[in-house]
């Protein structure tokens, strides 16, 4: 006669033994929770209530049903749970370090080789031609659209200004012309003047890079 | 798949990727050529959702791994101008190798039109992992 395997669950969530049977099986009648007096007092002080028997039960019930009770502010119920996603900038490929020459694969400057300066908080790479060499300005670029070469420019001494961050590059909101009279009469799109401060920034950012590039023969070409 | 070394080749300046993919530094298109061979199929049934592409100079399954995930563009001309050009594009991605000889499977946003069989397709180098 085969011995049947005793499972403690008849179905998910339904245990084979009734509560009293389980209690007996565990011999829980023998078990008395021994709580050192000091600990108990400390715990009682913390919760501000004597946790004993019936009171404990009501405390528990109160705690569990807090959200439904009249004491709970309404916005707690309806507010969305705070997400716990941490915004981290994507990992930088091992092959990309400050000073690495990158090849841009897409976009206006595809095919150009540029110098990598640093990774911005959004994960985009801050990159510069330098402008004098190939016309690529300070620009943000996505890692996926870049091939890292093994050639690097020595930027050890260089200091990339901290002001170049994502906010610096954020596109300015253009006033929507749609539906206005100007648009109807075909107003010319204003040519965006390259802001002077951008040009100045470019020069300062490039200074160190250009110096480093000049040190290496033929690197500029 | 990390090292790209500048290596001089016949043209004077070349770039050699570690997997053997040679890029010409001067004539750099940014994409390589592929041909649309047909759809994934058995003898009597074809599955138009997956296209088979033959990439230039890629002749074995191992060489294919570089291109996995890369975006592919099928370009074609149309009589009416849209967005300032007569050229239109269907984008897709290379999904996996097909067989042992360098053929590759790709899925496009919309299935490729059958009349494109035998036509060229551009395989981009992005998303790049090197």
């Amino acid at each position: 006669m085969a011995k049947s395997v005793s499972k403690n669950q008849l179905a998910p969530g339904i245990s084979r033994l009734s509560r009293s049977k389980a209690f007996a099986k565990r011999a829980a009648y023998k078990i008395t929770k021994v709580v050192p007096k000091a600990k108990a007092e400390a715990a009682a002080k913390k919760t501000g209530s004597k946790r004993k028997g019936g009171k404990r039960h009501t405390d528990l019930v109160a705690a569990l049903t807090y959200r439904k009770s009249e004491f709970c502010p309404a916005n707690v119920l309806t507010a969305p749970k705070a997400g716990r996603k941490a915004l981290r900038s994507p990992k930088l490929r091992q092959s990309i370090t400050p000073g690495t020459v990158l090849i841009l694969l897409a976009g206006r400057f595809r095919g150009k080789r540029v110098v990598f300066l640093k990774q911005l908080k959004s994960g985009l790479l801050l990159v510069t031609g330098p402008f004098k060499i190939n016309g690529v300005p300070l620009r943000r670029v996505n890692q996926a659209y870049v091939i890292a070469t093994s050639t690097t420019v020595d930027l050890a001494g260089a200091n990339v200004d901290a002001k170049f961050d994502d906010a610096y590059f954020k596109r300015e909101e253009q006033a929507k012309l749609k539906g206005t009279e100007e648009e109807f009469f075909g107003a010319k799109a204003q040519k965006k003047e390259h802001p002077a401060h951008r040009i100045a920034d470019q020069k300062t950012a490039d200074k160190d890079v250009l110096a480093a590039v000049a040190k290496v023969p033929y690197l500029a070409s | 798949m990390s090292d790209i070394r500048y290596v001089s080749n016949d043209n004077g300046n070349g770039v050699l990727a570690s997997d053997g993919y040679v890029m010409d530094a001067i004539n750099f298109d940014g994409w390589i050529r592929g041909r649309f061979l047909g759809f994934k199929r058995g003898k009597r049934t074809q599955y138009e959702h997956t296209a088979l592409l033959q990439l230039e100079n890629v002749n074995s399954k191992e060489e294919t791994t570089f291109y996995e995930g890369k975006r592919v563009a099928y370009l074609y001309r149309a009589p009416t101008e849209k967005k300032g050009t007569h050229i239109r594009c269907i984008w897709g991605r290379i999904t996996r190798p097909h067989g042992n000889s360098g053929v590759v499977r790709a899925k496009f946003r919309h299935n490729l039109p059958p009349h494109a069989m035998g036509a060229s397709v551009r395989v981009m180098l992005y998303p790049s992992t090197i």
Side-chain angles (χ1 to χ4, degrees), chain A residues 69-179:
Chain A
S69 72
E70 64 212 35
F71 303 108
C72 177
N75 59 351
V76 173
L77 287 172
T78 53
K81 279 191 178 173
R84 277 187 270 167
K85 287 191 181 161
L87 275 174
R88 283 183 212 99
S89 70
K91 264 205 293 196
L92 192 60
R93 262 183 259 151
Q94 270 189 340
S95 51
I96 304 179
T97 59
T100 310
V101 173
L102 308 173
I103 305 178
L104 299 181
L105 293 175
R108 182 160 169 220
F109 299 104
R110 60 183 151 270
K112 302 270 188 184
R113 284 122 180 106
V114 295
V115 177
F116 168 66
L117 298 176
K118 70 172 185 180
Q119 180 178 34
L120 303 172
K121 244 208 269 176
S122 65
L124 299 174
L125 311 179
L126 177 63
V127 128
T128 184
F131 189 74
K132 259 206 187 296
I133 294 181
N134 54 18
V136 181
L138 277 168
R139 208 161 199 270
R140 296 187 294 176
V141 132
N142 189 314
Q143 252 189 98
Y145 294 88
V146 133
I147 292 184
T149 65
S150 58
T151 311
T152 54
V153 168
D154 182 20
L155 286 185
N159 173 30
V160 183
D161 206 337
K163 85 162 148 201
F164 300 128
D165 62 354
D166 291 302
Y168 177 83
F169 289 102
K170 205 166 166 77
R171 227 183 244 217
E172 270 172 44
E173 290 288 322
Q174 285 207 333
K176 293 220 162 139
L177 284 180
K178 270 201 174 160

Side-chain angles (χ1 to χ4, degrees), chain B residues 4 18 43 50 52 62 76 83 87 95 104 113 122:
Chain B
I4 297 207
S18 69
K43 186 173 187 182
T50 304
L52 301 179
E62 292 73 39
Y76 59 103
K83 290 195 180 175
I87 300 176
T95 53
V104 123
R122 290 191 192 185

Side-chain angles (χ1 to χ4, degrees), chain B residues 49-61:
Chain B
H49 50 63
T50 304
L52 301 179
L53 306 178
Q54 171 91 65
L55 307 179
E56 213 172 62
N57 293 327
V58 176
N59 297 316
S60 74
K61 201 152 88 162

